[in-house]
Amino acid sequence: MNVQIKKQNNSTINEDELINLSKEELVSKIKALTAHNFQLKSIIAKSEITKAPKRNNKPFNFAKCTFRKVLLKILYLGWDYQGYVVQEDTTNTIEHHLFEALIKTCLIKSRQESDYHRCGRTDKGVSSYGQVISINLRSKLLNNDQDNIKEELDYCTMLNRVLPCNIQCIAWSPILNEFSARFDCKSRVYKYFFFKGELDIEKMRIGSNHLLGDHDFRNFCKMDVGNGVTQFNRNITKINIDLFHKWGSNKEDYDSYVITIEGQAFLWHQIRCIMGILFLIGQNRELPEIVKELLDVDQNPRKPEYNMASEIPLNLFECNYDDENIIWNYSEISLNMVLENLKKKLTYSSIKANMLMYMINDLEQKGFGEKKKTYFSDFLLQGIKTKNYVPVMKRQKYSLEDKIKHYTKRKRIEINNQ
């Protein structure tokens, strides 16, 4: 099926189109516009509350400034944010806080004039140790002077002073004007952390190895047809499952593991769907060969319903580039502050973990929970859990064509058969 999808532009609609709409369609459109208007009012109200009192200072004169193209490496703990990308109905996103800091420090005049690109877009609750953006920033050096780079503005320190402590800049590098953090990225590395529990790690490794290479991953993602995505081939170049932290000699179930997945690009919720299937394999509810079955879209073109894994353990860990001219600059003072903040968070998190472990140990010593297997991964699998397990390939399925038909009916997309 050769289908080209064009997203509908809902920003304007002429009178003739309105006349041709049914009563139900008009009611639906009025409701959508009312909701959108409410969202915009909420954003304006929030921005008015957070605005600092106006000072009598003169506006910053950007006309006298020179600019340079740079990469910024951003660390963020996304657990309490609504995702990375700016959204209409909330200011609680990584990107919102980042541009607020860039404007506050007068490093940019506006987003529109900054030639901004991000390497990846992470969803609600997902964190990153190595998000990379490319952007034009104010410089104090003339003609992008490379020889005196140490004399340049300390971008990371400037930004970290005004950014929330959960969002920090950890490095920057000068780049050529035509370079893009998104389009010049050669690979992205994600990590997903989890407890072993009763999982069979070796079977998970066998299943994960089937994912290597170029495949159609439509059965391992959320099909983003509403945004025009109908091609699902991606190439996974590396996948490993390793022991990350050993809790103790008699507490193997509490050992933590990390899966590392590398590829040039990924689909919406692809990593979380992969983890959902790998957890079922580790729980011995599915055989490792199910991965091969799901990748065979000729034999299995319809995706079965299954629960994807939680977003909390997921981290966009690294964005890799081939350009030998990228030289990351680090501010020791700034990074020491970042490190202290991370250690502080680790201190409180570890104390909470130890307190919980003490309670668990005491209850287990009293004989509770002995007859029940603990699949910690069950806590990470979202959605409704049925009393009797139904094999994945026997569950209700839906296809790409079903999705296209759904969004076409809702007039979210147009289809051009070629």
Side-chain angles (χ1 to χ4, degrees), residues 343-361:
K343 287 180 177 179
K344 180 180 178 181
K345 293 182 183 299
L346 178 62
T347 299
Y348 280 95
S349 297
S350 298
I351 288 171
K352 290 176 182 178
N354 287 327
M355 186 185 295
L356 292 169
M357 181 59 77
Y358 185 89
M359 297 176 184
I360 290 169
N361 284 340

Side-chain angles (χ1 to χ4, degrees), residues 13-23 25-26 29:
I13 185 167
N14 60 42
E15 186 176 344
D16 291 336
E17 289 173 321
L18 285 171
I19 291 172
N20 291 327
L21 292 177
S22 66
K23 180 180 178 181
E25 289 172 331
L26 283 170
K29 185 164 289 292

